[in-house]
Amino acid sequence: MKNNPFRHAQFLTSAPELRKMPADTGAEIAFAGRSNAGKSSALNAICDQSSLARTSKTPGRTQLLNVFGLEEGKRLVDLPGYGYAKVPEAMRVRWREVIDTYLRERESLKGVVLIMDSRHPLREFDQQMLVFCRDIGIACHCLLTKADKLSRSEGARTLALARKEIAALGSNATAQLFSAPAKTGLDEARGTLAGLLTA
Ligand code: GDP
């Protein structure tokens, strides 16, 4: 993509709850995934910035909605990584509620990018997220990250299988291979996100 619209992403705010989110206008895309799946790396790669999503990793900020502003009232929202070992159960439940409410009620939300490690995609959380998006009618695009760890044929097989499993869940989510260090699938990801933001 020649003019990468994500290049100018800037950290806007870390919201501990929905009331603290920027005004619900314009268009927004949320990034979700199990912790360690490669969400921060994907955000940084898409935005062509080396440390944009570092904020989301800062101690104390891992359980917040981290918001990045783009041009023309568009935003990317980094949701807390699911499965943080150190988070107590009660907090996990509360966070689940915040995220569910965010996904269900946020008017400006145009889509969810679901980050999954291509070596073990569609774990329980991923399936729940796909079904949730299906039920509330939110578009979902899956990035199968760390594709550089797979051979070309393994990658093709993984992608075909993931698409089949997604369809079997009754989801119409799209999926692609992605690698932050190898820049695999960057243009495809940017194009899909840009399309969702302007739909
Ligand atoms: P997050 O917890 O989902 O935000 O995951 P991170 O982006 O912090 O990545 C977790 C680990 O996986 C880090 O060690 C990254 O360097 C590594 N990683 C992330 N994306 C890729 C990728 O596309 N390829 C490879 N080989 N490693 C990756």
Side-chain angles (χ1 to χ4, degrees), residues 1-12 25-29 47 49 52 67-76 108 110 193-194 196-198:
M1 193 176 275
K2 268 202 190 108
N3 292 313
N4 174 10
F6 301 100
R7 202 178 186 141
H8 304 289
Q10 276 186 328
F11 173 71
L12 275 185
T25 56
E28 200 163 276
I29 289 185
C47 298
Q49 297 186 36
L52 185 74
V67 187
F68 303 94
L70 307 167
E71 287 158 338
E72 299 161 7
K74 295 172 181 167
R75 295 172 299 276
L76 301 178
S108 52
K110 303 298 180 196
L193 267 64
L196 288 171
L197 283 169
T198 49

Side-chain angles (χ1 to χ4, degrees), residues 71-139:
E71 287 158 338
E72 299 161 7
K74 295 172 181 167
R75 295 172 299 276
L76 301 178
V77 178
D78 190 5
L79 300 178
Y82 184 81
Y84 257 60
K86 291 189 185 121
V87 178
E89 182 62 20
M91 201 164 156
R92 220 174 278 193
V93 169
R94 186 182 124 57
W95 265 96
R96 190 55 191 263
E97 278 167 23
V98 172
I99 291 169
D100 282 9
T101 311
Y102 164 78
L103 294 172
R104 205 179 290 123
E105 296 182 359
R106 189 79 172 166
E107 299 268 341
S108 52
L109 182 66
K110 303 298 180 196
V112 169
V113 175
L114 180 57
I115 310 293
M116 301 187 274
D117 188 322
S118 59
R119 293 165 301 174
H120 29 79
L122 291 148
R123 292 275 176 95
E124 194 184 349
F125 164 78
D126 308 318
Q127 296 191 21
Q128 286 170 359
M129 185 59 90
L130 285 163
V131 168
F132 196 80
C133 289
R134 176 199 73 187
D135 289 347
I136 59 176
I138 287 276

Side-chain angles (χ1 to χ4, degrees), residues 34-41 57 145-149 178-181:
R34 301 172 74 244
S35 39
N36 226 30
K39 183 157 58 69
S40 304
S41 304
K57 293 270 180 192
T145 61
K146 312 192 188 183
D148 54 287
K149 304 257 192 190
F178 189 88
S179 163

